[in-house]
Every structure is written in structure tokens, then in C-alpha cells.
Amino acid sequence: MQMRYRDIASWIEAQIQQRVWQVGDRIPSVREMSRLQHVSPMTVMRAYEQLEADGWVEARPRSGFFVRPHYNKLAVDALARPQAQSQWLDTHQDVFDVISASHKGAYYPFGSAFPDPLLFPMQALGRAMARVLRQSSHPDHFTILPPGDSGLRRLIAQRYLRQGIRVGIDEIIITNGAIEALSLSLAAVTEPGDKVIIEAPAFYGVLQTLERLQLEAVPVTVEPETGVDIQALEHALASHSISACWLMSNFHNPTGASIPAQRRPDVVNLLATYQVPLIEDDVYGELFFAEIRPMPLKAYDTQGGVLHCGSFSKQLAPGFRVGWIAAGCYAMQIEKRQSVSSLAVGAPNQLAIADYLKQGGYDSHLRRLRETLFARQALIRAELKALLPASTRISQPKGGYFLWVELDKRIDTLALFHVLRPYGVTIAPGALFASDGRFNHCFRLNVSVVGRQKTGALDNRPSLEGLKQIATSLSALSVHSTVTTEY
């Protein structure tokens, strides 16, 4: 009998460690577990008492046994995880874990890649969708093949013109979000086995796309304060046979860095000199904090070598999945590729966004959004500086909604993620943004999010309690680490 109750206790402990049962979950009752395991209630009770003594569960009068945070073991278990190796395949599960945790029950989803949903004009978009559905009675109206709805493409071209950038309607292809825009662009200018310059750290979607297309990454360093290292970029171009370059010009994910305005022509000219197509990922370009929008690299393109990719997902309608490419001379090639892959973008989504843009409220919405993001960044950054060790480096982007946090190099933020998760707090650990472990001591933090109360209701305030939990968890992780961390 003694071994049997220990077996049950070990089995439930393993389930808690594997997150089958999470903090706050009620485990099966004594009677139910007795029936499931074909043992006496007394055996189950002894197992539960052992779990309670070890700190895995707690008894609540008249309610049963519930999973409780078990800090020491969670920290040790997280530290025991092998660090990311040089193969990107090893981090796929970590990417899935962060995405899943940030969208399933997290009270403070700082690890999310999307802005706070409360910041979008969902009612106005809903009215736009209702209008286009009501007004579109002809079936052909909803059969919009590549390159996409001409009305939406015209509106996008007009926004380019307001910046002084000449982009014809025929150059614009509507896509299923930014990832498809970037993937189609990359596929159009490369072949399997080619080398592609990417940023380091790099958005994990970049790494996944390169793996899917069987391309080799050549990383170039991005500094949070100064953006991409142009000397390193030139060295990579001179040292390798490069087929394409993928850069985020504005408010880079994850660091928030932007290429300084005076250096943008140099970047475009350098790549043109080596005849390397530039895929410009500019999905955050509208989220600037200055008076005017920073000019994209596309503005300095005189040879047609820049494929400019944008999206409405980060500033208007994430669930609509509508992006685009200003593809220039590659437009027809990309259009054909899209026709044999995803076929088309959902027509109602295209038409609804076009209708919303024509109503004239988009720029007003963007102004409000930028003001909110600026205020939240300032508040959360100040709170982090007060809570985290003095040696911590925290970026200060001029737009977007990410902060890049650099801790002592002996801290593993993937371990920190796993320690935080039972408390409903997520971060995006640095291991997600490189395949060589060089950013394991860093993490990305989404400053747009608000807290979610434990009742499930949104708490429309910056998530200061979640930040305090990050600081507390970091301190505990340092204490329980086998290596003493000094600041």
C-alpha cells in the first residue's frame, strides 16, 4: 500500500509539471481518483496528503484539492531544461509554448506578439463588414483573386503617395497578413539553399520562414539604440553570395530599433550595389511616436530592388489577416505564386477594410493608438527600471509596442518564462529570436497589454502587478540557480 500511494502522488506531480493540471485547477476528488485507480479512498487520501506536504496541492474546506504554485521545484525544473542548440528546430516547441500561453488564460500576456485588442475600432470594423455584406448581392463580388480588391489596392497606393512614394496600383498585391507577404517576396527572389541576410535578434517568424523555404540565414547584428549594423551588413554582402536581405526598418521586433533616417539611403544603395533584393518588413511603421511617419526604405529605391511589405494586423484589424506587398517589378511573379498557394485573401475582409478606410476615421484611430502606446511604454518602462536590477538594459523605442530587456548574461529567460507561466504572466524569451543562444539572457515585453482579472474580465490598466511578478520571479530564479547571479 505504501508504494501504491507514492505512485499516485508521483503520477499527479508529473502531470502538474507537464501542465496538465495548472495552478488553481481542482484535481480529481478522492472518490473519483479511488475509482479511476482502483484503490481505496484511504490510499488516495495518503497520496494527496503527501502532495500537500510537498507543496504541490492545497486542501480547501468543502471544495477538494487544488494545484498551488510550487516555486522551488518549478524554478529548478526550468533551470534543468537544456538550453537551445544551434538548430532552429529545437526551439519550435518554445515558440508554440509562448504563443499558446499568451493567448490561453494568461492574466498578463507580455509575451504576446499582438497589441491589446481593446485598442482596435472593432465596432466600426463590424459596421463596415455589415455594410459590405448587405450591399454585395452578386456572388462574383466575393470572388476576388490575386492581386486583390482594386479598391483596397488604390487606397493603399494613395497612402504611399501621401508620403511622396510612387507606387502604382498594379505593383500592390493583397496577402493573407504580413507573413504571407514576406514569404511570397522571399520565395520570389530565392531558390532552396540560397543565403539570406536577416537580423540578429530576428523575429521568430523569419527563422520559421527560412526553414520552410530551405534557405540559409546570415545574421547581422541589430542594436536597440542604433538599428542594424551597416558595417556588419557590408561585411556579410562581401563575404557571402547573398540572394536576399530581410530587414525591419521601423520598430524592429523584438528590439524596437529603427534604422536612423540619415542611414536609410546608405542601406538601400549598399544592397543595390551588390544587386541584392531587399525585403522590407514594415508592419510597425504606422506606430511611430514622432510628429511624422518615418520614411520606409522603399522611398529611397531607384532600381526596383525593394519589396515593401505592410499589414493592417498590427494597427487596425489583427483577425482580418490582410497585408500587402508593394512588389514593383516582382509583382507578376508573386501574383502567380500566390495563385497556386493560398489562391486568394478573404474577400469580405478586404472589402470591409476598404470600406472602413473610405469612411475617413483611420488616421484619427492611428493618432489615438500611438498616444496610448507611447503612454503605456513610458509607464511600463519606468516601472521596470524601478523593479529590475540597476544593470538591466531596457530599450526605449520611438514607436511600436515592444521593449527589449537585457539581463545579466547568466540568467536564462526561457527558465524565467516557465517560472512565470503558472502565475498567468508571460514573456517572450530571447531563445526564440536566435538559433545560437546568444540572446538567452534577454526577453521581449509587449507594453500594449492590459491585465486580465482572475474572473476573466479585462482590467483596463497597464499591467503593473504582472511586472512585479516578473521582478519577484527573477529574484527567486537567481536564488535557486546553481550559479549565483551577481548584479
Side-chain angles (χ1 to χ4, degrees):
M1 179 176 171
Q2 182 178 7
M3 290 299 296
R4 188 60 176 157
Y5 88 78
R6 291 189 181 276
D7 289 343
I8 293 173
S10 297
W11 178 62
I12 295 175
E13 178 182 324
Q15 288 187 316
I16 294 172
Q17 289 179 312
Q18 295 164 9
R19 299 187 295 280
V20 175
W21 305 108
Q22 296 189 340
V23 173
D25 287 348
R26 181 179 181 273
I27 64 174
S29 67
V30 172
R31 181 179 298 178
E32 184 180 3
M33 185 61 73
S34 173
R35 179 178 57 81
L36 290 172
Q37 296 298 321
H38 307 289
V39 296
S40 70
M42 183 60 69
T43 300
V44 176
M45 181 56 73
R46 291 192 64 186
Y48 283 12
E49 288 172 348
Q50 183 64 52
L51 288 166
E52 188 174 21
D54 290 342
W56 289 107
V57 301
E58 61 183 2
R60 297 180 186 174
R62 302 179 182 275
S63 298
F65 289 86
F66 293 79
V67 179
R68 59 170 297 182
H70 193 284
Y71 215 83
N72 293 351
K73 288 198 174 184
L74 285 171
V76 172
D77 180 62
L79 286 168
R81 291 170 56 88
Q83 292 193 356
Q85 301 301 310
S86 59
Q87 296 298 316
W88 173 242
L89 285 171
D90 293 338
T91 63
H92 274 322
Q93 184 60 46
D94 296 324
V95 172
F96 175 81
D97 284 348
V98 172
I99 294 173
S100 177
S102 295
H103 293 276
K104 295 180 180 178
Y107 303 131
Y108 303 105
F110 295 119
S112 172
F114 291 98
D116 179 355
L118 292 178
L119 300 178
F120 298 116
M122 299 313 297
Q123 290 185 343
L125 285 167
R127 290 192 295 269
M129 179 67 79
R131 277 192 298 270
V132 301
L133 291 174
R134 187 169 58 250
Q135 297 168 3
S136 304
S137 57
H138 197 285
D140 289 344
H141 201 65
F142 286 123
T143 308
I144 302 176
L145 298 177
D149 176 61
S150 59
L152 179 58
R153 289 158 56 221
R154 183 177 297 106
L155 290 165
I156 292 171
Q158 290 171 2
R159 295 191 70 82
Y160 278 111
L161 285 173
R162 292 193 192 105
Q163 280 196 280
I165 305 171
R166 294 184 179 181
V167 174
I169 296 174
D170 292 339
E171 299 177 46
I172 297 173
I173 299 169
I174 306 299
T175 63
N176 287 290
I179 285 295
E180 187 186 46
L182 294 157
S183 298
L184 287 171
S185 298
L186 196 57
V189 298
T190 62
E191 298 290 341
D194 284 352
K195 293 182 179 181
V196 177
I197 290 176
I198 66 169
E199 295 146 325
F203 171 51
Y204 43 78
V206 177
L207 302 173
Q208 292 170 320
T209 300
L210 263 63
E211 181 191 11
R212 185 172 65 253
L213 296 176
Q214 301 177 45
L215 301 170
E216 182 180 343
V218 178
V220 172
T221 301
V222 172
E223 292 293 339
E225 294 82 13
T226 57
V228 66
D229 186 330
I230 294 184
Q231 288 186 336
L233 177 63
E234 185 169 12
H235 177 74
L237 289 165
S239 304
H240 301 276
S241 178
I242 300 296
S243 297
C245 177
W246 179 332
L247 295 178
M248 282 190 182
S249 51
N250 296 308
F251 323 126
H252 170 253
N253 180 0
T255 66
S258 296
I259 299 173
Q262 67 274 16
R263 295 166 63 189
R264 296 189 178 211
D266 298 336
V267 172
V268 175
N269 293 335
L270 178 61
L271 290 163
T273 299
Y274 283 88
Q275 297 184 319
V276 172
L278 169 60
I279 299 165
E280 182 179 10
D281 184 350
D282 195 22
V283 296
Y284 304 102
E286 294 283 10
L287 304 181
F288 56 93
F289 298 156
E291 290 296 321
I292 59 173
R293 190 195 196 283
M295 294 294 282
L297 298 172
K298 180 71 174 176
Y300 307 100
D301 179 23
T302 59
Q303 300 182 23
V306 178
L307 295 86
H308 184 260
C309 300
S311 171
F312 292 104
S313 295
K314 301 300 187 289
Q315 63 261 9
L316 180 62
F320 282 41
R321 305 301 303 156
V322 175
W324 73 87
I325 314 167
C329 61
Y330 297 99
M332 184 57 69
Q333 188 175 349
I334 291 174
E335 182 180 332
K336 290 178 180 178
R337 285 182 176 272
Q338 187 184 41
S339 297
V340 299
S341 57
S342 60
L343 182 61
V345 181
N349 293 354
Q350 295 185 60
L351 296 172
I353 288 181
D355 182 274
Y356 174 84
L357 295 178
K358 284 185 288 188
Q359 300 304 313
Y362 185 41
D363 287 307
S364 296
H365 157 69
L366 287 175
R367 283 192 294 272
R368 291 191 297 271
L369 177 60
R370 290 192 288 262
E371 289 171 1
T372 300
L373 293 178
F374 177 76
R376 290 188 181 182
Q377 184 201 99
L379 183 61
I380 289 181
R381 189 174 186 276
E383 187 74 7
L384 281 175
K385 286 181 69 67
L387 290 170
L388 298 183
S391 61
T392 304
R393 294 179 62 192
I394 305 172
S395 65
Q396 192 169 8
K398 298 178 181 178
Y401 52 91
F402 294 127
L403 290 178
W404 184 243
V405 182
E406 298 183 39
L407 302 169
D408 183 281
K409 289 193 174 181
R410 288 167 289 187
I411 292 292
D412 179 6
T413 56
L414 188 57
L416 179 60
F417 165 78
H418 286 286
V419 171
L420 285 168
R421 187 171 181 177
Y423 297 91
V425 180
T426 67
I427 58 171
L432 273 59
F433 304 101
S435 58
D436 57 7
R438 73 173 90 174
F439 302 110
N440 284 4
H441 64 294
C442 304
F443 68 89
R444 186 195 70 190
L445 188 137
N446 184 332
V447 302
S448 79
V449 300
V450 296
R452 185 177 295 276
Q453 298 172 4
K454 295 190 177 182
T455 60
L458 285 172
D459 183 2
N460 195 16
R461 296 173 300 157
S463 305
L464 302 186
E465 289 302 316
L467 300 180
K468 292 176 183 177
Q469 187 61 60
I470 291 175
T472 300
S473 298
L474 177 60
S475 297
L477 189 63
S478 301
V479 169
H480 292 290
S481 174
T482 54
V483 178
T484 301
T485 302
E486 299 176 357
Y487 295 102

